[in-house]
Amino acid sequence: MTDFTPNEPEPDRLLELLADGATAGLSDAERDELRALLGPDRASEPAAYEAAAAAVALALTPGAGPVPPGLRARAEAALPAFAAPAAPAAPAPKRRRVPLAWAGWAVAAGLLIAFGAREFKARPTVAELRARLVANDPRALVLEGNTPAGETAAGSIVWSHDRQEGYLTLRNLPQLKNQQLQLWIFDAERDERYPVDGGVFDATAGEVVIPIRAAVPVRRAALFALTVEPVGGVVVSARERIVWTAKPG
Amino acid sequence: MPRIAAGDAAAMRECLDRYGALVWALAARTTANRTEAEDAAQEAFIAIWQAAGRYRPEAGSEPAFITVVVRNKLIDRKRRAGRAPQQTALPADVPGQPPADPLEACDEAARARAALDELVPAQRRVLELAVCHGLSHQEVAERTGLPLGTVKTYVRRGLMRVRERMQATGRPEARP
């Protein structure tokens, strides 16, 4: 076994930041400091320390038993938002002798056609998905939004509690530079300070339909709010600029 | 992972089957109660699906990649919630318990175990509290009675030792 002398000189700041980043995470300021200390040649160091911490976690993590059934169901419910729609079943090809030289081309062409069919025909548009949700879930919330004074955004939201699926239909969005819009879902059964992140998207001209990507299950939606945030969104919004809201009756 | 990145729902379900227990174990050890653990695990599953396209087999095993992604998500979540003192849902002392199945053949875990075996018990304990239970260095110091500086040194040196062990065997780290 090897011991380390705890009374060694003040640890090197770079190593301290690397270890902190791998175990507890860093603030934005610390991340900037680390980036400056590393320079371009050692930019992969944080990932190496994260990997070391992950290996320790793997080595010391006991089996926790099976995934709770409720969690499994929730994870499966969230799955459609990330899965591509299934391709339609292709009709069975007729058996026919094809000269070998042409067989490869035929296969390639078939794949292209199948891929094209899947990409351009089978995949429904977001607007179609929204329409399907409204048609298939009579309990889905369909709400017209409110526009705070001084803002222009208008539109509606559809949210299905049962399916944990929803869509925003918006128009007259503000023109933004180096910023994006982020949807927040306030859950009546969660702490109001930490609304559920519903996804980040660009403010584009015209009418847009945006799928909602709730980061965690929403148990009872109490308010939907759209804020302006830095590109990529934030973990906790300062709620400085709210451009649209919708509230269930 | 490539199938998940391509949006294959069946692959996502296979991922739940294969790594669900691992994700659940990682989440349960760093959260205060079962409800919070389930929320954290749910976020972690989504993070895996979103990160799947970044997986490179040559850089490490799937369990190692998944653990990096899940740990980053758990750290983010804890920072978001603030560092309120928390209790762990699973027993703190777990040496000797068998690991979850996907880890049995995980190369990175074996190397980390070898490195951990070289540490004195106190250092190993500090590393376990900081890495597996998600405690801050201050919280580890309070839990163990060790000076904060010692805790920081133990964590830093412990990770360096594991990293050296992983590099020495010639395989680069898993990176999401």
Side-chain angles (χ1 to χ4, degrees), chain A residues 1-248:
Chain A
M1 286 191 183
T2 305
D3 196 0
F4 295 110
T5 309
N7 297 323
E8 64 181 17
E10 186 67 14
D12 176 82
R13 180 64 176 158
L14 171 61
L15 295 175
E16 184 179 5
L17 286 171
L18 286 168
D20 284 356
T23 53
L26 300 176
S27 67
D28 289 344
E30 288 170 330
R31 204 171 289 121
D32 289 344
E33 183 185 358
L34 175 59
R35 204 174 292 125
L37 288 170
L38 285 169
D41 296 339
R42 301 176 68 190
S44 63
E45 285 288 293
Y49 275 77
E50 286 174 12
V56 170
L58 278 168
L60 297 179
T61 296
V67 178
L71 172 60
R72 169 85 195 202
R74 286 163 55 185
E76 292 234 12
L79 203 146
F82 301 90
K94 292 179 181 175
R95 283 182 172 273
R96 223 181 126 180
R97 277 179 176 272
V98 179
L100 196 59
W102 289 98
W105 290 105
V107 169
L111 284 173
L112 275 173
I113 291 167
F115 179 77
R118 172 178 169 161
E119 288 298 303
F120 301 112
K121 290 181 183 173
R123 189 185 288 262
T125 66
V126 178
E128 287 169 343
L129 290 172
R130 178 192 182 281
R132 283 186 200 175
L133 180 62
V134 174
N136 295 331
D137 184 357
R139 299 205 310 162
L141 292 171
V142 182
L143 305 170
E144 280 300 319
N146 302 303
T147 309
E151 297 294 344
T152 58
S156 63
I157 187 168
V158 176
W159 174 254
S160 166
H161 171 80
D162 294 341
R163 297 170 184 231
Q164 293 289 298
E165 179 185 354
Y167 301 90
L168 287 163
T169 305
L170 298 166
R171 59 189 177 279
N172 300 334
L173 293 173
Q175 291 187 331
L176 302 176
K177 189 176 181 183
N178 297 325
Q179 289 176 310
Q180 287 183 300
L181 295 170
Q182 187 164 7
L183 176 69
W184 301 96
I185 307 169
F186 289 77
D187 189 332
E189 297 185 17
R190 292 177 190 274
D191 189 330
E192 187 270 343
R193 290 173 298 171
Y194 306 113
V196 176
D197 177 3
V200 179
F201 56 96
D202 290 323
T204 52
E207 185 170 277
V208 290
V209 183
I210 307 290
I212 297 170
R213 297 187 187 279
V216 296
V218 178
R219 301 187 186 110
R220 192 151 57 92
L223 176 71
F224 300 89
L226 207 53
T227 61
V228 175
E229 305 292 354
V231 171
V234 294
V235 175
V236 177
S237 174
R239 308 182 195 181
E240 288 174 348
R241 185 177 174 188
I242 301 172
V243 300
W244 180 89
T245 62
K247 189 174 174 60

Side-chain angles (χ1 to χ4, degrees), chain A residues 2 4 8 11 16 20 22 24-25 27 45 49 51 53 58 60 63 67 72 74-76 84 190 216 235, chain B residues 7 13 17 20 29 38-39 42-43 71 79-80 83 98 103 118 123 131 137 152 156-157 160 163 173:
Chain A
T2 305
F4 295 110
E8 64 181 17
E16 184 179 5
D20 284 356
S27 67
E45 285 288 293
Y49 275 77
L58 278 168
L60 297 179
V67 178
R72 169 85 195 202
R74 286 163 55 185
E76 292 234 12
R190 292 177 190 274
V216 296
V235 175
Chain B
R13 289 193 184 88
D17 292 338
R29 293 186 103 190
E38 290 197 12
D39 283 355
Q42 165 84 353
E43 282 190 26
R71 290 197 72 255
R79 291 183 70 84
R80 197 190 332 163
R83 283 219 166 255
L103 317 185
E118 296 173 352
Q123 189 180 8
V131 172
H137 295 170
K152 285 176 175 286
R156 181 166 54 83
R157 290 295 188 91
M160 287 171 68
R163 194 193 161 204
E173 300 84 1

Side-chain angles (χ1 to χ4, degrees), chain A residues 1-4, chain B residues 113-120 123 161 165:
Chain A
M1 286 191 183
T2 305
D3 196 0
F4 295 110
Chain B
R113 266 184 226 112
L116 291 168
D117 285 345
E118 296 173 352
L119 307 179
V120 295
Q123 189 180 8
R161 176 60 56 91
R165 177 68 77 147

